[in-house]
Amino acid sequence: MTALRQRKGSKGKEPPLGAEFHSQQPNCCTDHHHHLHPEKILHGDWSWGAIIWTSVGWSVSVGLGLLCCIYVATLHENDLWFSNIKEVEREISFRTECGLYYSYYKQMLQAPSVQEGLSDLIHDNLTESRRTINLLQRMNIYQEVFLSVLYRLLPIQSYLEPVYFYIYTVFSLQAVYVIALYLTAWLLSGSWLAGALTGVWYILNRVDTTRVEFTISLRENWSLPFLALQVTAITCYLRPHLTALQQVLVWLMYVTTFCFCLTWQFNQFILLVQALIIYTLDCVDLLTTTQVTTLYLVQVSSLLSVWLLQFCNSMILGSLVLSFIVAALFIRHCQSGLKTGGLLVRLGKLLLHTTMVLLLSFTINYLAKKALQLRSDEHIFKFIKLKFALGPTRDFDASLYLCEEAFGFLPLDTLERLAGTLLLYPYILTLLLLSGMFAVAALHNLRGSASETPYVAYNLLHTLFYGLLAFSTMRMKYIWTGHMCAVAAYGACGTELWSLVFHYLSLEFYDPDTVELMTWISTKTPKRAVFAGSMQLLAGIKLCTGRVLTNHPHYEDKDLRERTRQVYQVYARRSPEEVHDILRAVGADYVVLENSICYERRHRRGCRLRDLLDLANGHIMDGPGENDPDLVPASHPRFCEAINSDAPSYSALFTRTFQNKTFHVYRMNRNNY
């Protein structure tokens, strides 16, 4: 017997979807390929190479954003000859509802003061004859209010006309949109080259990714950049190793969701799709309870904030997304044993759970609308009923929507244009690969041996769900096509995705994190340094670097087995002083901690290495489930997790000397304590 368990998934805290099918061992002969995520600088990688490479990536993102902004502004100018026409001609270029929205910006600027302008909007009797309405409650025009106030405050009136301030702001949001998509692709792939490809594809497919240059005031042109930023924040939030940034990211998700909801009247329907994505990931155990609750509460708090700003707009309280979230959280709380049992049992529970959530959602929504006497959004549901032939209807409003091209099905020539820019083919290939891996990961999770990359899974479902929405309603394609660029770029440049493809095709071995670790050990540590860690990893360190080991996989020696059990206390709940004493006793100079062991979710509860250590130490195991009555709670946190906090009790004894998304190396300090 050469080892107790095989080391699997060397891709970080949570291995890539589908990674359970292959085990990667360290290979000292593989070429080193260094990838930097945009957040890596925040975790202490202050080498000149990291700083320069990351700075170049950020600079390229800003450059592409500005290029897109200038491009659409130039198209707008060339199409209308905007700078050479009369003011009235400029104003009539704001067609249909665009002109209505712009009129409130103009009205605010013409008001004697901001206070009087706001009062006129709140008590408006000019928009609808014989009616006085609250425009801030009825319409999403806070962006016009904000922009008019900003124009009044800034010293720009003498050289920038109000109309240019308005349109340049909207065009600038296109730069924000491109940067957000760029960062999402960078976070997914680990390379800003994917972000650059995303920006290029977005610009090349301008006809299908935006219509801002001729529909400037449309609410989607204000809101979609914030939705893209929110997706970036969620992607970052779901990445591992970002515990220090969690609160910042939660606030960023809230702010971007709030801005998105405030600027578009269709916010509740877009958030409903997103809530369904979160629900799906939760059902297949790809998100933790904390992550699910946080994402739902971000949506709820954003909607309620908009509800307050829109003078308690009852349409928000009667939205289906709020009813769904309340139902999902309530049923989830009541069904505490949902994620237990075998595959068939879990599938049965999941079916029952989903049925209960849907029934409770519609019940809550029905009662809320009855109580609020809400009929403002009934035309939307009649439109859906007519569009999908769910029953006979001759409703005028639904027919009026359906007869508009923007609310019809997605024309097939859209796909032809996307194929012409070489976007469609890598997108479809990426979609097929990720969908297959997602299905495998979901099946394994339902069987109780989890494997996950939640930030990739979220973006996969985002592009699938909003893709279906785009095919059903052409106006919604702009949510899909921008994100489509990021997903296709991830497929083209994502190292983890390609490594999986190469593995199945038997073309290449690829494990950049382990290569980076071996290179660092070979070049940055003394040749007689002693390393502690997992048996399998240490075997690779011996092969590739020649360093001295505390233990190894040849397990047929009783003393070695006892030493290995002691070294593995780095994954148990032990105090830093105890772990330091153990490692010094075996002569270790460095200890290597692996996220794939510390946060393992592959094996069932009771078979994970940390569970075996807890049982051997008499401690209660992690997670829901039964514990033997003689087990007690540990008095210390898990060492491999707590050491990442850099608390004084740990930093006094251990100094972090190397880190990537898979490994953390600490040097043993000789301090007294």
Side-chain angles (χ1 to χ4, degrees):
M1 182 173 66
T2 59
L4 282 179
R5 61 172 66 241
Q6 293 295 316
R7 174 176 168 267
K8 294 186 179 182
S10 60
K11 290 293 178 187
K13 171 181 175 180
E14 293 150 341
L17 292 171
E20 64 274 11
F21 293 112
H22 63 287
S23 174
Q24 296 180 342
Q25 298 297 329
N27 187 335
C28 52
C29 303
T30 308
D31 292 336
H32 173 64
H33 193 77
H34 190 61
H35 285 276
L36 290 172
H37 288 280
E39 78 272 9
K40 191 163 185 179
I41 292 290
L42 298 173
H43 293 282
D45 189 350
W46 288 98
S47 65
W48 281 109
I51 293 172
I52 292 172
W53 190 246
T54 304
S55 298
V56 171
W58 281 99
S59 300
V60 172
S61 74
V62 173
L64 283 170
L66 291 175
L67 176 62
C68 181
C69 172
I70 295 170
Y71 180 43
V72 294
T74 303
L75 287 174
H76 176 259
E77 171 64 27
N78 292 345
D79 186 47
L80 298 177
W81 211 21
F82 200 72
S83 60
N84 293 279
I85 58 179
K86 299 176 182 178
E87 181 67 19
V88 65
E89 292 173 316
R90 292 174 181 172
E91 291 180 352
I92 63 173
S93 70
F94 292 93
R95 302 286 184 180
T96 61
E97 61 188 289
C98 296
L100 180 66
Y101 296 132
Y102 182 77
S103 72
Y104 300 124
Y105 169 72
K106 180 180 177 181
Q107 180 178 328
M108 280 291 295
L109 289 177
Q110 292 176 344
S113 67
V114 172
Q115 291 79 2
E116 290 187 45
L118 287 172
S119 178
D120 289 341
L121 293 180
I122 294 171
H123 307 93
D124 178 85
N125 54 15
L126 299 176
T127 302
E128 298 178 9
S129 62
R130 297 186 179 182
R131 289 181 182 173
T132 299
I133 60 175
N134 185 342
L135 291 170
L136 295 181
Q137 181 187 54
R138 285 267 298 272
M139 301 184 187
N140 297 73
I141 59 170
Y142 267 100
Q143 50 266 54
E144 277 75 24
V145 173
F146 172 76
L147 218 58
S148 64
V149 173
L150 194 60
Y151 184 79
R152 286 173 176 267
L153 294 176
L154 295 175
I156 57 176
Q157 291 89 343
S158 59
Y159 59 87
L160 187 65
E161 297 176 57
V163 66
Y164 280 106
F165 184 65
Y166 186 91
I167 65 173
Y168 287 166
T169 300
V170 180
F171 292 152
S172 297
L173 284 175
Q174 284 294 297
V176 174
Y177 197 179
V178 170
I179 291 172
L181 295 173
Y182 179 108
L183 292 177
T184 298
W186 189 354
L187 286 165
L188 287 171
S189 67
S191 171
W192 59 257
L193 296 176
L197 185 57
T198 300
V200 170
W201 264 331
Y202 182 89
I203 295 171
L204 289 177
N205 291 277
R206 175 195 55 80
V207 173
D208 295 299
T209 55
T210 182
R211 49 179 173 169
V212 66
E213 73 274 12
F214 60 89
T215 59
I216 295 173
S217 300
L218 277 189
R219 305 297 84 180
E220 68 194 46
N221 296 328
W222 287 92
S223 61
L224 290 186
F226 294 110
L227 180 63
L229 281 174
Q230 185 228 35
V231 172
T232 303
I234 291 175
T235 303
C236 201
Y237 172 73
L238 296 179
R239 283 190 57 79
H241 320 313
L242 287 172
T243 52
L245 296 174
Q246 291 293 298
Q247 291 302 316
V248 175
L249 290 170
V250 170
W251 276 106
L252 183 58
M253 288 189 293
Y254 165 74
V255 170
T256 52
T257 308
F258 167 73
C259 291
F260 164 73
C261 293
L262 190 64
T263 52
W264 200 12
Q265 68 270 26
F266 288 149
N267 56 63
Q268 57 169 299
F269 304 105
I270 307 305
L271 288 190
L272 176 61
V273 176
Q274 190 174 74
L276 291 172
I277 294 171
I278 297 167
Y279 177 79
T280 304
L281 292 173
D282 182 29
C283 285
V284 295
D285 206 18
L286 282 167
L287 295 179
T288 66
T289 300
T290 300
Q291 288 171 335
V292 172
T293 305
T294 299
L295 291 171
Y296 278 151
L297 291 181
V298 163
Q299 289 189 325
V300 171
S301 57
S302 301
L303 284 169
L304 293 181
S305 299
V306 173
W307 173 71
L308 287 173
L309 275 177
Q310 289 191 322
F311 296 81
C312 304
N313 186 339
S314 59
M315 188 174 174
I316 294 176
L317 290 184
S319 63
L320 191 55
V321 63
L322 277 183
S323 304
F324 176 82
I325 292 173
V326 170
L329 289 175
F330 178 77
I331 298 296
R332 195 180 198 276
H333 177 73
C334 294
Q335 283 192 299
S336 56
L338 175 66
K339 298 181 179 180
T340 58
L343 176 61
L344 292 179
V345 172
R346 286 196 63 176
L347 286 174
K349 288 181 178 180
L350 189 57
L351 180 61
L352 176 63
H353 178 81
T354 302
T355 303
M356 292 173 64
V357 168
L358 292 177
L359 286 175
L360 185 58
S361 299
F362 288 116
T363 301
I364 293 173
N365 191 253
Y366 175 79
L367 294 175
K369 287 182 175 177
K370 282 292 184 182
L372 296 169
Q373 296 183 334
L374 179 63
R375 301 182 65 185
S376 301
D377 59 352
E378 64 179 12
H379 65 296
I380 300 294
F381 296 100
K382 290 179 180 177
F383 163 73
I384 294 172
K385 180 180 177 181
L386 178 61
K387 185 176 183 68
F388 296 102
L390 299 177
T393 177
R394 295 181 179 178
D395 184 77
F396 172 80
D397 299 317
S399 302
L400 191 64
Y401 268 112
L402 197 59
C403 290
E404 288 292 328
E405 183 181 3
F407 290 91
F409 292 102
L410 187 73
L412 293 180
D413 62 352
T414 304
L415 301 180
E416 294 176 7
R417 289 193 298 271
L418 295 173
T421 58
L422 303 181
L423 170 62
L424 186 62
Y425 305 117
Y427 174 77
I428 291 176
L429 179 60
T430 304
L431 208 58
L432 291 174
L433 286 171
L434 289 180
S435 297
M437 289 188 286
F438 176 81
V440 169
L443 186 61
H444 275 246
N445 285 4
L446 291 173
R447 284 175 172 169
S449 56
S451 65
E452 55 180 322
T453 310
Y455 62 100
V456 176
Y458 173 83
N459 280 274
L460 168 66
L461 293 188
H462 183 98
T463 196
L464 282 173
F465 279 54
Y466 287 107
L468 292 174
L469 185 63
F471 272 91
S472 68
T473 307
M474 189 188 77
R475 182 174 180 178
M476 297 300 173
K477 76 173 179 178
Y478 301 102
I479 304 176
W480 174 57
T481 48
H483 191 261
M484 180 184 184
C485 297
V487 172
Y490 165 56
C493 304
T495 56
E496 292 176 350
L497 202 59
W498 278 109
S499 66
L500 187 67
V501 173
F502 287 146
H503 169 77
Y504 285 118
L505 296 179
S506 302
L507 296 177
E508 182 181 306
F509 178 89
Y510 192 70
D511 188 357
D513 289 348
T514 307
V515 171
E516 185 182 13
L517 172 67
M518 299 301 173
T519 303
W520 178 84
I521 292 175
S522 298
T523 58
K524 301 296 184 181
T525 64
K527 292 186 177 180
R528 299 300 299 170
V530 180
F531 277 80
S534 69
M535 294 181 289
Q536 290 71 36
L537 178 65
L538 290 181
I541 289 177
K542 179 69 167 63
L543 169 64
C544 295
T545 72
R547 299 307 190 261
V548 183
L549 314 179
T550 58
N551 51 301
H552 53 76
H554 197 271
Y555 213 59
E556 279 67 34
D557 182 83
K558 183 178 184 302
D559 292 336
L560 178 64
R561 291 197 294 271
E562 175 58 26
R563 174 181 276 202
T564 298
R565 189 178 71 83
Q566 289 298 314
V567 170
Y568 277 6
Q569 296 302 310
V570 297
Y571 297 110
R573 292 187 174 99
R574 302 291 290 268
S575 71
E577 292 81 11
E578 290 176 307
V579 173
H580 188 271
D581 286 344
I582 290 170
L583 295 178
R584 292 305 301 165
V586 296
D589 299 308
Y590 296 88
V591 59
V592 184
L593 301 179
E594 301 172 65
N595 288 323
S596 57
I597 298 178
C598 186
Y599 302 100
E600 180 191 1
R601 295 185 64 185
R602 292 177 182 282
H603 296 85
R604 68 179 185 275
R605 186 173 183 268
C607 285
R608 300 170 298 191
L609 178 59
R610 64 179 185 270
D611 296 337
L612 301 180
L613 291 165
D614 288 342
L615 291 172
N617 294 338
H619 295 154
I620 290 174
M621 293 183 291
D622 286 338
E626 298 296 325
N627 286 284
D628 292 337
D630 61 318
L631 298 178
V632 298
S635 56
H636 299 283
R638 196 167 303 283
F639 177 83
C640 60
E641 294 179 358
I643 195 173
N644 290 330
S645 66
D646 293 325
S649 58
Y650 292 87
S651 58
L653 301 173
F654 302 90
T655 300
R656 190 187 340 238
T657 55
F658 174 85
Q659 170 188 354
N660 61 26
K661 63 184 178 181
T662 302
F663 304 104
H664 299 259
V665 181
Y666 291 88
R667 187 179 67 246
M668 310 290 297
N669 297 340
R670 300 179 185 272
N671 301 22
N672 294 322
Y673 49 84

